Amino acid sequence: MVAPTPDREMPQSTGPYSAELDEASLAAGLRSGDERCLAEIYRRWSPMVHTIALRSLRRVPDAEDVTQQVFIAAWRSRTGYDPASGSLPAWLTGIARYEIANRWRLIQREQRISQRLGSLETDSPQASPVEAVTDGVLLAEELGKLGQPRRTILELAFYQQLTHMEIASRLNLPLGTVKSHITRGLHRLRRRLGVDGAPSGR
């Protein structure tokens, strides 16, 4: 695991620093914006956060991503941390649970979209429409970026659930052309949406 890369919200630190600071000193330093304290907090408690994430998500890449997000979130919300309400590990655990829940929602969304794309590619549309409103909005945004006739072909497949043959008949296009547009369009959607192993850019 690699410590979070400071972003433009994270100030550069200067001066000497002791790794022997106690938890209260680290908490105070974090709240005041000392990046060195964040680095030491990460060193001490990132293994704990990573273990929690891995037990839930069961995939090392997901656990590593969540671990990074936890400490980025801790830095950004540092002024809201109240040591009187709980220890640093407990606070980090709470952030980890929130980030794990977010990752699970993302994984499940990607699985739904992947299944939907797969049903189109095999010309066996599902009987139900897109399951979640957010999925539909996301798909609509990406479909809107496609050129014609690919956009119309995929819209007919997604929203009217027509088969390849029905789309070819509706648009008066050769069946092979319809299949080609669907295959290429799905490839682009997978790449843009980050499903089926394609990079998501998140």
Side-chain angles (χ1 to χ4, degrees):
M1 293 179 291
V2 180
T5 302
D7 58 24
R8 60 188 177 187
E9 298 181 20
M10 297 176 66
Q12 296 299 316
S13 57
T14 58
Y17 176 73
S18 172
E20 300 305 320
L21 293 176
D22 59 21
E23 185 178 322
S25 298
L26 287 174
L30 177 69
R31 283 172 53 84
S32 68
D34 189 342
E35 185 186 325
R36 295 166 298 179
C37 288
L38 172 65
E40 179 61 19
I41 290 168
Y42 181 90
R43 186 187 71 80
R44 294 188 191 184
W45 289 295
S46 62
M48 175 197 73
V49 171
H50 185 269
T51 297
I52 293 171
L54 186 59
R55 285 176 179 172
S56 176
L57 299 168
R58 299 188 180 89
R59 291 185 55 200
V60 171
D62 287 324
E64 290 179 344
D65 285 348
V66 163
T67 300
Q68 297 290 311
Q69 290 303 315
V70 166
F71 287 92
I72 291 171
W75 176 260
R76 291 174 175 169
S77 61
R78 61 190 180 275
T79 58
Y81 170 57
D82 180 7
S85 66
S87 66
L88 271 173
W91 182 59
L92 293 169
T93 297
I95 298 174
R97 288 172 178 164
Y98 176 81
E99 294 294 340
I100 288 169
N102 281 343
R103 180 52 58 97
W104 268 121
R105 283 191 288 269
L106 178 62
I107 290 171
Q108 291 165 356
R109 188 207 73 187
E110 290 180 346
Q111 288 174 342
R112 289 195 300 269
I113 294 175
S114 180
Q115 292 169 357
R116 184 71 172 152
L117 297 179
S119 72
L120 296 184
E121 195 165 38
T122 58
D123 199 17
S124 56
Q126 299 173 355
S128 60
V130 179
E131 295 181 23
V133 172
T134 53
D135 296 344
V137 170
L138 186 62
L139 287 169
E141 290 177 353
E142 294 304 326
L143 285 171
K145 298 173 184 177
L146 299 176
Q148 294 292 4
R150 187 169 299 167
R151 174 181 174 181
T152 297
I153 289 172
L154 285 174
E155 286 175 342
L156 289 172
F158 269 117
Y159 302 121
Q160 296 191 33
Q161 299 186 28
L162 301 183
T163 66
H164 298 177
M165 184 67 75
E166 290 169 337
I167 294 171
S169 177
R170 172 79 65 87
L171 300 180
N172 195 27
L173 291 172
L175 180 59
T177 299
V178 170
K179 289 182 177 180
S180 176
H181 278 298
I182 287 177
T183 298
R184 293 176 183 177
L186 292 179
H187 176 75
R188 174 171 174 173
L189 287 175
R190 285 193 175 98
R191 185 174 64 252
R192 295 284 302 175
L193 297 171
V195 297
D196 286 0
S200 62
R202 63 177 178 270

